[in-house]
Amino acid sequence: MRTTTRLALLGTSVALVATAISATAAQAEDGGTGDIRLDKVVINGGKPVVVGTTKVVSAKVSVTASDDSGIARTTYISAFGPKPNYAQIWDDEITCVKVSATTSTCTGTLKFDPQASTGFVGNSAAATWKLGTLVSANDYDYIHRDAATTFKVQRHSRLTTKASPKPVKKGKTITVTGLLSRANWDSGKYSGYSGQAVKLQFRKKGTTTYKTLKSVKTNSTGNLKTTVKATVDSYYRYSFAGNSTTPAVNATGDLVRVKK
């Protein structure tokens, strides 16, 4: 039987989340009362949340809101991807700090575990998610936004490079191989990423800047292979620009010494 690897929210409120989210917050409409407003909502410093196959990933969320009476609390912070993917923080896991008499910033942490079994289901979770929240003021004004901001969840990527032979005579052919892979949340392992354009780059020994030589596509198993002519001692590497579901990654440069 194939075991499906899933990512899930970790925290003291896990037992409460599964039914409450789908029945309440997930279905709630944007709304509110009074003059309370959301000033700023940020998750993970504005960067995508990148998840591998074993480590729990924490993503800090901050919600800044204002009201003339001051902010009382943030009831929840919720994150929703393609159904049935979700994550949630309740008020007992959220800390609010006053910025001024009218403004507070409330923070909490979403945690994603690639080896858990609920909340974040398989590779479909690599997508753009909505981040919603419900904030209340001291005078009972409140504001709810189902998509106060959005963020990307991505499958962690890996890239290798190997150049040979070493050393090589000037003018002879160097073969450069590599593998582009990414986290597979269905299998719990890394899988080759097929059909992707990857740049072959080099930098001369003693310099710091890589230059692109050509673009190479990964084959059906994510492998890369191409050839170049040997000129001077150089480091070779593959570089992947990334996309909406997979972050950019550079391989470690592999030094090839050239003999005359």
Side-chain angles (χ1 to χ4, degrees):
M1 179 184 294
R2 185 182 73 173
T3 300
T4 299
T5 299
R6 303 184 178 189
L7 285 82
L9 169 70
L10 294 182
T12 58
S13 61
V14 163
L16 302 173
V17 172
T19 57
I21 290 177
S22 58
T24 57
Q27 303 299 323
E29 296 180 356
D30 288 352
T33 60
D35 57 1
I36 187 173
R37 69 178 186 271
L38 289 179
D39 300 318
K40 190 176 183 180
V41 179
V42 179
I43 177 171
N44 202 39
K47 298 180 291 185
V49 176
V50 179
V51 183
T53 58
T54 57
K55 293 182 179 180
V56 176
V57 175
S58 297
K60 183 179 179 180
V61 183
S62 66
V63 177
T64 302
S66 299
D67 185 85
D68 58 2
S69 69
I71 300 302
R73 65 172 181 162
T74 294
T75 302
Y76 66 80
I77 297 169
S78 58
F80 297 95
K83 290 182 179 180
N85 302 296
Y86 68 85
Q88 185 96 359
I89 314 170
W90 291 106
D91 56 354
D92 61 345
E93 301 169 314
I94 299 170
T95 300
C96 292
V97 177
K98 282 187 177 182
V99 177
S100 68
T102 59
T103 304
S104 292
T105 296
C106 301
T107 59
T109 301
L110 293 171
K111 293 184 178 181
F112 303 99
D113 180 359
Q115 296 189 330
S117 58
T118 59
F120 197 123
V121 184
N123 292 332
S124 67
T128 298
W129 285 46
K130 296 178 180 180
L131 188 74
T133 189
L134 173 63
V135 184
S136 302
N138 290 321
D139 60 3
Y140 303 107
D141 290 351
Y142 76 92
I143 185 169
H144 169 263
R145 292 292 181 267
D146 192 45
T149 191
T150 60
F151 67 99
K152 286 183 173 60
V153 173
Q154 296 181 323
R155 298 162 63 178
H156 183 263
S157 54
R158 292 176 174 174
L159 184 57
T160 63
T161 299
K162 183 177 180 180
S164 62
K166 299 176 187 176
V168 63
K169 286 187 177 182
K170 186 174 182 178
K172 295 297 183 179
T173 298
I174 300 170
T175 299
V176 187
T177 59
L179 172 65
L180 175 63
S181 59
R182 60 178 180 166
N184 186 328
W185 299 327
D186 291 329
S187 67
K189 301 177 181 179
Y190 278 80
S191 300
Y193 196 6
S194 65
Q196 301 303 304
V198 179
K199 293 178 181 179
L200 175 64
Q201 300 181 328
F202 86 107
R203 67 175 176 88
K204 293 180 182 178
K205 185 181 178 183
T207 67
T208 58
T209 303
Y210 276 92
K211 297 180 180 180
T212 297
L213 292 172
K214 62 175 76 174
S215 181
V216 184
K217 272 198 171 184
T218 58
N219 67 9
S220 60
T221 56
N223 286 287
L224 294 152
K225 185 176 182 179
T226 191
T227 59
V228 295
K229 292 294 183 182
T231 55
V232 297
D233 292 357
S234 299
Y235 290 88
Y236 293 87
R237 75 175 187 186
Y238 283 112
S239 176
F240 176 58
N243 54 39
S244 61
T245 62
T246 310
V249 60
N250 293 319
T252 301
D254 193 15
L255 175 62
V256 176
R257 298 186 183 277
V258 177
K259 302 185 297 182
K260 293 183 180 180

